[in-house]
Amino acid sequence: MKQEVLSEAAWQRIVEFAADKATPCLVLDLQTVRDKYRELIEAFPFAGVYYAVKANPDAAIIRCLQELGAHFDIASVFELRKLLELGIATDRMSYGNTIKKSADIAFAFEQGVSLFASDCESDIRKLAKFAPGSRVYIRVLTEGSETADWPLSRKFGCQADMAIELILLARELGLVPYGISFHVGSQQRDIGTWDAAIAKVRFIFDRLAEADIHLEMINMGGGMPANYANRHHDIAAYGAAIRRFLDEDFGNHELQVLIEPGRSLVAEAGVLVSEVIQVSRKSQDSLDRWVYLDVGLFGGMIEAIGEAIQYPMVCDRQEGELDEVVIAGPTCDSMDILYEDHRYSLPLDLQEGDRLYWLTTGAYTTSYSSIEFNGFPPLQSYVVDEG
Ligand SMILES: Cc1ncc(COP(=O)(O)O)c(C=O)c1O
């Protein structure tokens, strides 16, 4: 079987490992995570890496990234607890969710977390009360929704003027105004979106310097790409362009730069192995062949919703004539259709039990899969490593 995402050795490891495993399952290759981490830090030698745990919270991935020196972006106290159980120090964590219960802020603070994202007055007041003296950074809104395959704007972040007011309030309430963050949208195909976002951050820094607040940090979030069916630049091109944008706006400035990669670090390490349950047509002369799999939107492939993310796919039945198909999941929900517009081609003699390997599925699959929808269990996940 031919694929163009993984190294041949990693692909062989995964296929051999999966051979006797029940499907659907995700197989993660740790060596690929190490390779992606190395590529990322080569492309971004000027940035501290905070892995966005939400992308894949598998303990083996977290341990592997910890050994490589990564820090961690956490979204909840549940992720915090998980990292604590794995022995990760709280000074390696940033609480990046702008939506937090008071009790959760207090718990994180008690545990030693002292770096928090925020984007509104009520959250700043909660932070001042339940995490006094902590460092805060304000998330700003950015452009880029149209060119991100999984946009993240609108719900999070505030306008530049409000960011300035919040930093002033944070100082007044005894917090440490630390920096500004943004996220240009996940799987962001337009590198230029970082240019505009960085310029906005520089504007905020300058305005605050007038009030004698000298911010130290820019957190550029995630958005770096993984290898899906759509074209994109490689990670080195992202690093080079973003460095140029930073130099243009902050060349003369002491600056701590953070990134919070999720997808770009772990997506390519995962292969979701699925099986065909059924192949049918709606009438004898229908052009459309429907292929129903044992995995669908609710079993881990939710990012295929609206066909936002199009995963590369390999079928284990290689020979024979191919034809385009509609691909759907196994649940009794009519929304559970994976691909109808984006046409994958599969052999005409495809039948029950044939395996489809979905590549680049290491991010946002297990963490999204439902726990019991239609009785199906959460997506089973395994880890393989070299040697
Ligand atoms: C605050 C924050 N940081 C980082 C990420 C990771 O983004 P990506 O997977 O595009 O690298 C996310 C994704 O939702 C996020 O919400």
Side-chain angles (χ1 to χ4, degrees):
M1 288 181 284
K2 252 172 63 74
Q3 54 81 38
E4 286 166 6
V5 172
L6 290 156
S7 72
E8 199 43 38
W11 173 238
Q12 287 310 328
R13 269 197 294 281
I14 290 173
V15 172
E16 275 167 30
F17 178 86
D20 63 353
K21 301 292 176 296
T23 63
C25 65
L26 179 75
V27 185
L28 289 162
D29 182 62
L30 271 196
Q31 187 50 43
T32 303
V33 176
R34 289 188 202 101
D35 294 345
K36 298 307 296 180
Y37 187 81
R38 202 194 53 246
E39 275 175 30
L40 186 82
I41 57 172
E42 275 168 21
F44 288 84
F46 50 88
V49 175
Y50 280 66
Y51 170 58
V53 175
K54 60 179 81 71
N56 191 321
D58 192 294
I61 290 187
I62 293 168
R63 270 196 219 97
C64 167
L65 291 172
Q66 177 197 21
E67 279 162 22
L68 293 169
H71 290 59
F72 298 90
D73 161 54
I74 57 170
S76 67
V77 287
F78 306 99
E79 286 186 351
L80 167 59
R81 284 207 182 91
K82 179 159 202 174
L83 296 196
L84 290 173
E85 277 161 25
L86 293 170
I88 293 168
T90 45
D91 62 3
R92 285 173 80 165
M93 300 180 203
S94 162
Y95 202 138
N97 195 343
T98 53
I99 307 156
K100 305 176 278 301
K101 290 184 174 176
S102 300
D104 294 347
I105 295 172
F107 176 74
F109 183 66
E110 241 170 64
Q111 299 302 315
V113 177
S114 67
L115 182 58
F116 294 88
S118 190
D119 68 356
C120 66
E121 182 178 335
S122 65
D123 187 58
I124 289 284
R125 291 193 182 279
K126 283 195 260 184
L127 286 169
K129 188 161 173 197
F130 297 103
S134 291
R135 290 167 300 159
V136 288
Y137 57 93
I138 306 297
R139 179 158 168 179
V140 290
L141 287 161
T142 59
E143 303 302 315
S145 297
E146 311 73 39
T147 46
D149 288 344
W150 198 257
L152 288 170
S153 203
R154 225 164 72 73
K155 179 173 170 188
F156 314 98
C158 59
Q159 300 290 359
D161 281 358
M162 172 151 280
I164 291 164
E165 287 163 20
L166 294 177
I167 288 280
L168 292 169
L169 178 66
R171 176 174 67 175
E172 197 183 304
L173 297 177
L175 293 163
V176 178
Y178 192 55
I180 302 293
S181 75
F182 59 80
H183 195 307
V184 291
S186 199
Q187 191 69 10
Q188 176 55 262
R189 281 172 282 108
D190 180 2
I191 309 180
T193 52
W194 273 270
D195 196 7
I198 290 166
K200 185 183 269 189
V201 176
R202 176 72 217 216
F203 164 78
I204 296 170
F205 270 53
D206 288 346
R207 288 279 306 278
L208 286 164
E210 291 163 17
D212 207 24
I213 294 180
H214 302 281
L215 297 179
E216 292 169 49
M217 187 275 279
I218 178 170
N219 179 340
M220 301 192 295
M224 287 71 79
N227 202 346
Y228 296 115
N230 279 342
R231 275 174 359 122
H232 63 83
H233 289 291
D234 63 19
I235 195 77
Y238 278 73
I242 292 171
R243 167 163 244 166
R244 205 173 61 245
F245 304 146
L246 283 169
D247 285 347
E248 280 163 13
D249 286 323
F250 284 96
N252 55 352
H253 209 284
E254 279 281 301
L255 189 66
Q256 190 193 352
V257 180
L258 308 186
I259 51 174
E260 295 175 344
R263 193 183 293 287
S264 56
L265 268 183
V266 295
E268 285 162 43
V271 175
L272 203 167
V273 188
S274 64
E275 265 180 23
V276 173
I277 298 179
Q278 194 155 287
V279 183
S280 68
R281 290 183 198 271
K282 304 286 173 193
S283 71
Q284 291 299 349
D285 52 5
S286 166
L287 282 173
D288 286 332
R289 202 161 38 118
W290 284 67
V291 172
Y292 299 92
L293 302 180
D294 57 5
V295 69
L297 291 182
F298 304 103
M301 292 177 73
I302 191 71
E303 290 200 320
I305 200 163
E307 310 197 15
I309 298 287
Q310 294 156 4
Y311 301 101
M313 184 262 282
V314 173
C315 178
D316 71 349
R317 184 184 289 270
Q318 297 284 291
E319 48 316 314
E321 207 181 319
L322 302 177
D323 193 20
E324 291 178 349
V325 292
V326 176
I327 302 181
T331 63
C332 298
D333 189 316
S334 58
M335 227 184 91
D336 191 9
I337 296 173
L338 292 169
Y339 298 106
E340 202 168 359
D341 291 332
H342 182 81
R343 287 296 170 112
Y344 288 87
S345 287
L346 285 168
L348 275 177
D349 59 351
L350 189 78
Q351 44 183 264
E352 178 172 8
D354 286 340
R355 285 191 161 196
L356 302 191
Y357 297 84
W358 297 93
L359 286 101
T360 318
T361 45
Y364 305 114
T365 49
T366 47
S367 53
Y368 263 137
S369 80
S370 76
I371 53 164
E372 206 182 313
F373 186 50
N374 283 219
F376 291 101
L379 181 60
Q380 173 72 49
S381 165
Y382 301 99
V383 173
V384 293
D385 202 358
E386 264 185 338

